[in-house]
Amino acid sequence: MRNKKYLFNGTVAVFFLLFMVAAGLGLAGCEEQVIVYDGPNFVRFSDTTLSYKESYPKAIKIKVHNGGPILNESINVSYTVGGTAREGRDYRIEGNKGTVIIPLGQSFGEITLYLLNNSNNILESSSIEFTLTSVSPSDKIKVGFGEGGLGTKMTFTIHDACIMEGLFTGQLPVGGNRVYQVTDIDIASSDCKRYTVSNINIGLLGFPQFFNWDAPVGFEAERPKLDFIDNGNNTLTIPPQAVSGLASGYDTLSGTGVWNPLNKRITLNIRWKIYRLADGKDSVVTIPLTYIPQ
């Protein structure tokens, strides 16, 4: 009996030990795994290629990062600029050109780039080539990763834009001195002839109420698109078209417009046919939308 009891307890002990090991492995698998790079410090471009249209009006941040442990001092990285794009005509670099600083205790520094829009309906492209050349403190960090210096070069491609492309602020007068507006509306073209407005819903979700009409809400889509055609003489044509998200009870849209070459503003006069008003009659209204370059 003693032997049987001893064997039983031994079996329980073995199973208990196996259970604890398995549980330990399970818990270890659930713990967050922290991977720490403990190799030599190096700096490199975060991206090796980027591309934008020249009509993009905002600052573009080109990141340079420290790929190793964070240092307790700032890192000064020197770089050169080449390529086919022309500084001062196609782009400009803000701040101290040729040097990017990774601040103390940080992992990233930035080169701030602005594109200069000289759109002329000639669709070509040019490039800016950035190359990291040296870094300080040089005794603690090097340029590029590995023997080949991975990440020391970055090619930025500038795509030419059509003359009316870019980001715009759209405005709609809604009575009196009130103006409703929406920012970051993109107008784009692939042939410099037909353009697409990314959003004509500038307060138009409830525009009938602005005019005291007894009509349903205009758009079921949040960002309905509209095409217009450049006639080549600063006038525009909005060909009849069905607009995605247009609520039932409305016809297709059409109209005319103008482009001001001095301030590059675009004005679209959209003809909108409204069905089934309160008096049972149809009505055609013209809605003026103005797009101001940002």
Side-chain angles (χ1 to χ4, degrees), residues 9-140:
N9 290 341
T11 303
V12 171
V14 170
F15 277 109
F16 179 75
L17 179 60
L18 292 175
F19 172 79
M20 292 302 294
V21 170
L25 291 174
L27 289 174
C30 294
E31 291 179 356
E32 181 180 357
Q33 300 298 307
V34 179
I35 300 175
V36 179
Y37 175 80
D38 58 359
N41 279 58
F42 65 95
V43 291
R44 60 160 293 171
F45 285 109
S46 298
D47 299 290
T48 55
T49 60
L50 285 174
S51 63
Y52 279 76
K53 279 194 173 183
E54 65 177 354
S55 56
Y56 187 78
K58 300 181 180 181
I60 299 168
K61 303 294 186 178
I62 298 173
K63 293 184 177 295
V64 176
H65 73 263
N66 169 20
I70 295 176
L71 301 185
N72 59 357
E73 59 185 303
S74 62
I75 303 170
N76 288 12
V77 186
S78 297
Y79 66 90
T80 59
V81 183
T84 59
R86 301 159 297 178
E87 185 176 4
R89 298 187 65 180
D90 297 316
Y91 70 92
R92 68 178 178 88
I93 295 174
E94 187 177 80
N96 186 16
K97 175 189 171 185
T99 302
V100 58
I101 297 175
I102 301 176
L104 182 152
Q106 301 294 320
S107 294
F108 291 90
E110 296 175 336
I111 301 171
T112 302
L113 178 71
Y114 284 92
L115 303 183
L116 304 179
N117 189 0
N118 53 10
S119 54
N120 52 12
N121 283 351
I122 299 176
L123 298 182
E124 296 176 346
S125 61
S126 58
S127 64
I128 312 171
E129 295 177 357
F130 296 92
T131 303
L132 302 181
T133 57
S134 62
V135 61
S136 176
S138 58
D139 60 330
K140 298 180 181 179

